[in-house]
Amino acid sequence: MSGDRCLPQHHIQDDPTFPHPLVVCPKTKPCGYREAMSLGNKYVRLNVGGMLFFTPLQVLTRQNSLLKAMFSGKKEVFTDKEGWILIDRSGKHFNSILNYLREGTVTLPKGRQAVQELLAEAKYYRIQGLVELCQNTLQDNKEQPMCVIPVITSCKEEEQLIQSSSKPVVKLLYNRSNNKYSYTSNSDDNLLKNIELFDRLSLSFNSRVLFFKDVIGDEICCWSFYGQGRKLAEVCCTSIVYATEKKQTKVEFPEARIYEETLNTLLYETMPLPDNSLLEATRRSYNNCGSLSEEEEGPGGPEPRERVRRIHVKRYSTYDDRPLGH
């Protein structure tokens, strides 16, 4: 029989390669390693955490490890009533353990968590080579952050970021301590919602838009949108309201407007230039069509028209400058 894994005799006809969980009999007994061999001294039947494995004895004793000590008479082993040797560990990565003992190397599982699990098993079985392989892989493949959000500390730093960026820019200014009045009941929740939306947008568009935070400005919560080095729009989320004859600061959460302005910044992406073949094909098509006559074009040719969406947002230098109810 080939392979490292098998089932009891009454399961072999169904699927000899699928690791069914085994209900282990609580009546176990210690035995010597030779007594545990079901087919002479060539193959070993293992029950590792309910998963069954069938492997040659020489694989288990090939390298210095806990398994070699178990199957060379140095350590007592336990079997169930059917003769399967019991190992009280998870069987999830035991196949990788066997592959490493057989070949001296193994393809590690995908994902940092899976490699860490295999490392724990390798340490338990005292397989030093596999331990070092897992540790080197974890050290080389350190998790990289999904995105990095700068936090500016000065106006000069903000200007440098905006002017040097080849991407559109979205800035969130939030500073709860800028308020000189009390907040309305929902203001703190809305402030958190603005921050959470900023995090979601930065995760979704960080490859196309530069996001950064400002915590030193003179506003409480304000979004700014930039394209090609200039400001395109601004969404101020705070206003002053009267409640019980007292002024209060209200923080709002204009989610739809923020989404709209963020998507509008994508119009100002610096797109890669088309290749020469595409430009040549477009030029030939334009010359053949002759869409504009010389009279329509004028003596200097067609003048390019700048298409820029302009948004006028009324701003106030201080809260007291705003009319009542705003």
Side-chain angles (χ1 to χ4, degrees):
M1 181 180 297
S2 62
D4 297 322
R5 193 185 300 176
C6 80
L7 299 172
Q9 188 65 34
H10 59 278
H11 285 301
I12 292 178
Q13 296 179 354
D14 296 333
D15 188 355
T17 63
F18 190 84
H20 288 266
L22 177 68
V23 179
V24 180
C25 176
K27 296 181 179 179
T28 61
K29 59 179 182 179
C31 63
Y33 79 102
R34 296 187 182 277
E35 186 181 345
M37 306 300 120
S38 60
L39 300 176
N41 288 334
K42 295 183 178 180
Y43 288 89
V44 181
R45 299 189 300 173
L46 301 173
N47 175 3
V48 185
M51 298 177 66
L52 307 181
F53 298 86
F54 194 75
T55 188
L57 175 62
Q58 63 178 0
V59 172
L60 299 173
T61 58
R62 183 165 295 173
Q63 299 187 28
N64 290 326
S65 65
L66 177 64
L67 293 170
K68 182 176 182 179
M70 291 175 60
F71 296 101
S72 59
K74 297 180 181 180
K75 192 174 182 65
E76 191 175 54
V77 296
F78 292 84
T79 63
D80 62 11
K81 64 178 182 179
E82 295 181 356
W84 293 80
I85 298 175
L86 302 176
I87 298 180
D88 188 20
R89 297 291 293 182
S90 170
K92 179 179 179 181
H93 298 289
F94 194 73
N95 211 31
S96 297
I97 297 290
L98 294 178
N99 287 337
Y100 184 84
L101 292 176
R102 184 189 304 108
E103 305 292 343
T105 185
V106 68
T107 301
L108 297 181
K110 295 182 179 180
R112 189 176 183 85
Q113 179 63 32
V115 176
Q116 289 175 336
E117 293 173 357
L118 179 57
L119 174 61
E121 296 302 307
K123 288 181 177 179
Y124 174 80
Y125 292 112
R126 299 201 292 269
I127 306 175
Q128 186 60 33
L130 184 56
V131 170
E132 294 175 357
L133 178 61
C134 293
Q135 288 177 338
N136 292 337
T137 301
L138 291 173
Q139 184 176 2
D140 295 339
N141 299 332
K142 293 182 179 180
E143 290 185 348
Q144 299 296 326
M146 298 183 66
C147 63
V148 178
I149 305 298
V151 178
I152 62 172
T153 56
S154 67
C155 296
K156 184 177 181 180
E157 184 180 3
E158 175 183 347
E159 183 178 356
Q160 289 177 347
L161 273 176
I162 295 172
Q163 296 299 326
S164 62
S165 176
S166 60
K167 304 177 183 178
V169 177
V170 174
K171 180 188 77 171
L172 173 61
L173 188 160
Y174 66 94
N175 190 344
R176 191 180 184 280
S177 61
N178 279 338
N179 184 31
K180 60 182 179 180
Y181 307 113
S182 62
Y183 284 101
T184 58
S185 58
N186 295 328
S187 291
D188 284 330
D189 290 340
N190 287 335
L191 181 59
L192 290 176
K193 288 179 180 179
N194 279 279
I195 298 173
E196 291 171 355
L197 177 59
F198 180 87
D199 293 339
R200 293 199 304 270
L201 291 173
S202 61
L203 289 174
S204 300
F205 297 103
N206 68 88
S207 61
R208 303 175 63 183
V209 178
L210 171 64
F211 292 84
F212 66 87
K213 294 180 178 180
D214 181 1
V215 295
I216 62 172
D218 57 356
E219 294 281 359
I220 295 174
C221 183
C222 184
W223 295 73
S224 299
F225 305 87
Y226 301 84
Q228 298 177 357
R230 60 190 181 85
K231 181 178 284 189
L232 305 173
E234 186 175 86
V235 178
C236 186
C237 303
T238 56
S239 60
I240 301 298
V241 297
Y242 277 89
T244 63
E245 299 182 356
K246 291 183 179 180
K247 288 184 179 180
Q248 286 189 307
T249 301
K250 180 180 180 180
V251 179
E252 298 175 315
F253 179 50
E255 183 176 12
R257 175 73 185 281
I258 294 168
Y259 267 112
E260 177 186 358
E261 300 302 342
T262 302
L263 295 177
N264 284 333
T265 62
L266 299 179
L267 298 174
Y268 296 85
E269 281 186 290
T270 303
M271 304 300 293
L273 294 175
D275 56 22
N276 292 331
S277 60
L278 179 59
L279 289 174
E280 183 64 26
T282 305
R283 188 179 298 113
R284 285 199 303 266
S285 175
Y286 176 78
N287 291 335
N288 293 334
C289 292
S291 58
L292 292 176
S293 65
E294 294 182 0
E295 295 180 358
E296 292 173 331
E297 292 179 358
E303 295 184 0
R305 295 169 56 189
E306 182 183 5
R307 300 182 62 185
V308 178
R309 187 182 60 85
R310 303 188 184 279
I311 299 177
H312 300 279
V313 180
K314 189 173 182 180
R315 301 203 56 193
Y316 304 91
S317 58
T318 64
Y319 292 116
D320 292 334
D321 295 339
R322 301 182 183 183
L324 184 63
H326 289 262

